[in-house]
Amino acid sequence: MSGRLRLGVNIDHVATIRNARGGDHPDPVRAAEIVAAVGGDGITAHLREDRRHIRDEDLARIQTATDLPLNLEMAATEEMLAIALRHKPHAACIVPEKREERTTEGGLDAAGLHNTLVPIIDRLKEAGIRVSLFIEANERQLDAALRLGAPVVEFHTGGYAHAFLDGDRERVASELKGIADLSALAAKNGIEPHAGHGLTYENVQPIAAIPQLAELNIGHYLVGEAVFVGLEQAVRQMREIMDEAR
Ligand code: PXP
C-alpha cells in the first residue's frame, strides 16, 4: 500500500500568533489557501476547549476558503461533537485534551474510554465524518480502535520525536519499530494508519518511509519554518522529503 503519502498541514499555530495580539493577522485562512495552492492534501486544525489557537468562526472560514479536506482535531466532549456535526468536516480526529498541557502530549486512551467514545464515534460516522483516533502505537489501543469501529488511527509520533531530539538512537529505533509494526497491523485489519506530532525535516524521513502510512499531519515545525522561508517553501520542502522517502 505504498502510494503517495498525504500531507495534512496543521495551521493552529498561525492562529496562535494571531491571538497573541488579539487582532486578525496572521489569518489562518490565508495559510489554508497557501497550503492548497502549493499542493498540500488537507488542513488540520484543533479546536481546543480554551480556543487558544483556532476559534469556532475560523472553521467555517477555512471550509469556505478552500476545497481541501478539513481534519478537525477534537476532544471527546458533547460541545465538540455538536460543533463537528454543525460543520461536518471531512474527518474528525479524536484527541485527548488537558487544559494545562502545552500540546497534545500523549495518545487517547481509546481502551479506557470505550464507553465515552462509542456514542461520539457513532454520531460522527452517522453524519458521514471520517473518524480517526489519535493513539499511541501499541496493540491495546489499536484493538480498542478496532472494537470502536474507527476507520482511521493516527499514531502519536511525539515519543519518536523526543527520542530523536535527545539523540538516543536505541529509543529512536524502538519507537520507529513500534510505529512501523502497528501501521502494518492496522492496515492488515482494515484501518488506515496516519501519524503525526513533532515531525520535522530532520526526523520525518524514516516515518514517511513506512509503507502503510497514508497521511502525516504536521504543524508546529512548518509554521516555525514559515517564519524564515515562507509557508509555501516550508510545505514544498516537507513534501519533497516525504516523496523521497517513499
Ligand atoms: N496530529 C495531531 C492529532 C495533533 O494533535 C497534532 C498537534 O496538534 C499534530 C498532528 C501536529 O503536531 P505538530 O504541531 O507537532 O506538528
Side-chain angles (χ1 to χ4, degrees):
M1 214 224 287
S2 185
R4 185 175 184 274
L5 179 60
R6 294 195 302 270
L7 171 60
V9 177
N10 182 318
I11 57 171
D12 286 341
H13 295 299
V14 177
T16 309
I17 299 172
R18 173 194 64 188
N19 299 350
R21 282 296 173 92
D24 58 10
H25 186 273
D27 188 347
V29 170
R30 188 163 159 206
E33 288 167 347
I34 291 171
V35 170
V38 77
D41 300 289
I43 300 297
T44 293
H46 184 178
L47 187 71
R48 276 187 173 262
E49 185 195 10
D50 65 6
R51 310 299 198 265
R52 72 172 80 150
H53 27 64
I54 290 295
R55 301 194 188 117
D56 303 54
E57 60 272 21
D58 293 325
L59 292 178
R61 292 175 58 242
I62 292 166
Q63 286 178 304
T64 308
T66 99
D67 291 332
L68 285 184
L70 174 65
N71 173 33
L72 174 66
E73 295 177 357
M74 54 174 270
T77 64
E78 280 299 320
E79 183 203 9
M80 288 302 149
L81 174 64
I83 292 169
L85 294 177
R86 200 156 59 241
H87 288 277
K88 294 204 169 46
H90 166 76
C93 180
I94 303 182
V95 301
E97 200 176 297
K98 289 192 229 98
R99 196 168 257 267
E100 65 281 7
E101 70 188 354
R102 253 187 296 179
T103 179
T104 310
E105 277 152 12
L108 183 75
D109 182 9
L113 290 173
H114 181 90
N115 292 345
T116 307
L117 292 172
V118 167
I120 293 182
I121 292 174
D122 285 352
R123 288 174 66 195
L124 289 168
K125 284 172 77 175
E126 273 163 31
I129 299 168
R130 197 154 190 247
V131 176
S132 150
L133 302 181
F134 189 43
I135 58 172
E136 297 292 333
N138 67 52
E139 280 197 39
R140 179 164 177 266
Q141 297 300 340
L142 185 64
D143 277 352
L146 259 174
R147 273 185 280 115
L148 285 160
V152 177
V153 290
E154 180 169 330
F155 292 121
H156 196 306
T157 50
Y160 164 79
H162 277 127
F164 202 95
L165 265 183
D166 294 343
D168 184 337
R169 288 204 197 165
E170 253 173 56
R171 244 170 69 227
V172 168
S174 95
E175 293 280 347
L176 196 56
K177 182 170 180 338
I179 295 164
D181 289 351
L182 270 287
S183 296
L185 194 58
K188 196 169 144 208
N189 283 285
I191 295 190
E192 185 175 288
H194 298 178
H197 207 279
L199 297 176
T200 67
Y201 296 155
E202 285 73 33
N203 70 17
V204 75
Q205 194 274 341
I207 296 286
I210 297 171
Q212 294 84 6
L213 284 178
E215 178 175 309
L216 301 183
N217 284 297
I218 308 181
H220 183 268
Y221 184 82
L222 286 175
V223 174
E225 268 300 290
V227 170
F228 304 115
V229 302
L231 186 58
E232 188 177 325
Q233 172 61 21
V235 172
R236 267 193 220 287
Q237 191 158 341
M238 188 61 83
R239 179 76 260 166
E240 271 173 31
I241 300 170
M242 287 165 55
D243 288 341
E244 278 168 19
R246 287 270 151 154

